[in-house]
């Protein structure tokens, strides 16, 4: 399976900085000497169209960082999946831990958003991951399984979505799980998906949380890791490029 490298730019950057980052990435891409993974960048909402124009005619894809669970209507401040797709995005991150923590997104809201994304022709990247407390009390696996069970709409097909395992305690902290832990949890997710999703394609499972140019290669070589979701390091062109170069062919 082709690996994925996803850059989540979060709420960072001005119009000029975002354009510079996107254009530099396009330049790097044109100089690449080896097959590349599927690269997806996730700009803030206002810059989706700008980045789409800059990435035109390249293999780079765009994701939004969230979307509404509603299809349209009187929801001031919200952005619908169809609008995101209309601005050139093909994917949307849903259920990121920052959305769950700061904006009260529950599994049931995430599930509605996944359904809305599919209706809007977006492929959701569904984030799950345990908190530090859950990990310390030995409830990491139980928490991940519940999130998966409750965030996936019934009848979703394997080829319609991506899962990102992001331990909450690893995001933005510079701390990552041991490779054996990542391998174990990804194995658990793979097994649970085989119960929840009808047989067919394979759901890509990404790892996210303090991925850097230094640890990306080892993470990307781990069984059942089909890519990485990168926050901080995706804002630095050279680091992000090195992560891209660390993918398996
Ligand atoms: P980080 O963020 O790479 O800065 O830890 C990852 C994420 O939030 O997706």
């Amino acid at each position: 399976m082709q690996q994925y490298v996803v850059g989540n730019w979060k709420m960072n950057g001005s119009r000029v900085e975002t354009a510079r980052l996107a254009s530099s990435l396009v330049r790097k891409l044109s100089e690449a000497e080896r097959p590349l993974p599927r690269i997806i960048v996730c700009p803030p909402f206002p810059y989706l169209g700008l980045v789409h124009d800059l990435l035109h005619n390249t293999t780079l894809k765009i994701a939004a960082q969230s979307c509404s669970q509603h299809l349209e209507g009187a929801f001031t401040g919200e952005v619908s999946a169809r609008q995101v797709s209309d601005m050139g995005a093909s994917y949307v991150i849903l259920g990121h831990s920052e959305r769950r923590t700061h904006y009260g997104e529950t599994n049931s809201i995430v599930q509605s958003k996944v359904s809305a994304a599919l209706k809007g022709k977006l492929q959701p990247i569904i984030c799950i991951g345990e908190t530090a407390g859950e990990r310390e009390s030995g409830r990491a696996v139980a928490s991940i399984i519940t999130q998966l069970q409750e965030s996936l709409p019934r009848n979703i097909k394997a080829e319609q979505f991506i899962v990102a395992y992001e331990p909450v305690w690893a995001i933005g902290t510079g701390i990552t799980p041991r490779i054996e832990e990542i391998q174990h949890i990804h194995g658990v997710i793979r097994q649970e998906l085989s119960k929840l999703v009808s047989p067919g394609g394979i759901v890509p499972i990404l790892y996210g949380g303090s991925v850097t140019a230094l640890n990306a290669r080892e993470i990307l070589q781990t069984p059942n890791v089909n890519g990485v979701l990168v926050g901080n390091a995706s804002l630095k062109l050279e680091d992000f490029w090195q992560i891209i170069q660390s993918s398996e062919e």
Side-chain angles (χ1 to χ4, degrees):
M1 181 194 290
Q2 190 185 25
Q3 292 197 317
Y4 288 75
V5 175
V6 185
N8 178 8
W9 294 346
K10 306 195 180 180
M11 198 175 72
N12 292 298
S14 62
R15 186 166 60 86
V16 170
E17 287 162 346
T18 301
R20 196 181 302 136
L21 187 55
S23 326
S24 314
L25 207 50
V26 170
R27 192 159 358 95
K28 284 275 192 199
L29 206 68
S30 67
E31 294 162 2
E33 284 164 3
R34 61 187 285 274
L36 295 171
R38 170 146 297 215
I39 305 166
I40 304 171
V41 293
C42 317
F45 281 134
Y47 305 138
L48 284 173
L50 167 78
V51 173
H52 175 252
D53 291 347
L54 291 167
L55 303 189
H56 194 61
N57 283 334
T58 74
T59 53
L60 291 166
K61 298 284 178 197
I62 300 173
Q65 300 170 17
S66 180
C67 71
S68 171
Q69 66 266 48
H70 304 289
L71 298 185
E72 65 178 342
F75 300 100
T76 301
E78 287 291 280
V79 178
S80 74
R82 206 177 302 146
Q83 290 167 334
V84 162
S85 155
D86 199 26
M87 292 311 285
S90 322
Y91 300 84
V92 60
I93 297 177
L94 293 176
H96 189 282
S97 84
E98 285 150 18
R99 300 291 318 169
R100 293 178 186 265
T101 309
H102 305 311
Y103 302 97
E105 279 191 14
T106 59
N107 290 333
S108 128
I109 294 175
V110 175
Q111 188 188 48
S112 313
K113 289 189 169 200
V114 172
S115 299
L118 296 175
K119 286 196 186 110
K121 306 262 180 290
L122 293 173
Q123 191 167 348
I125 302 171
I126 305 169
C127 301
I128 53 171
E130 81 283 3
T131 62
E134 286 166 338
R135 180 175 192 243
E136 278 148 27
S137 58
R139 286 180 292 124
V141 165
S143 159
I144 283 155
I145 289 179
T146 306
Q147 287 177 65
L148 265 183
Q149 289 172 342
E150 296 181 358
S151 304
L152 293 183
R154 229 167 275 136
N155 301 327
I156 192 165
K157 296 189 185 67
E159 55 276 14
Q160 288 181 307
F161 69 107
I162 294 170
V163 169
Y165 167 56
E166 298 205 298
V168 178
W169 50 273
I171 296 176
T173 59
I175 306 168
T176 53
R178 285 178 291 117
I179 289 295
E180 308 85 77
E181 291 179 86
I182 296 178
Q183 182 170 343
H184 171 62
I185 300 282
H186 278 239
V188 167
I189 296 171
R190 175 73 63 223
Q191 202 179 357
E192 189 59 29
L193 284 172
S194 71
K195 295 182 206 154
L196 295 173
V197 181
S198 42
I202 300 172
V203 179
I205 308 173
L206 319 186
Y207 168 80
S210 296
V211 174
T212 65
L214 294 178
N215 63 21
R217 187 173 303 275
E218 196 181 10
I219 293 172
L220 283 162
Q221 282 171 351
T222 308
N224 279 321
V225 173
N226 309 115
V228 284
L229 175 49
V230 188
N232 267 326
S234 71
L235 292 166
K236 295 174 215 126
L237 179 71
E238 287 307 326
D239 288 18
F240 192 52
W241 189 247
Q242 223 172 305
I243 294 170
I244 290 167
Q245 298 283 2
S246 306
S247 64
E248 302 264 279
E249 285 187 18

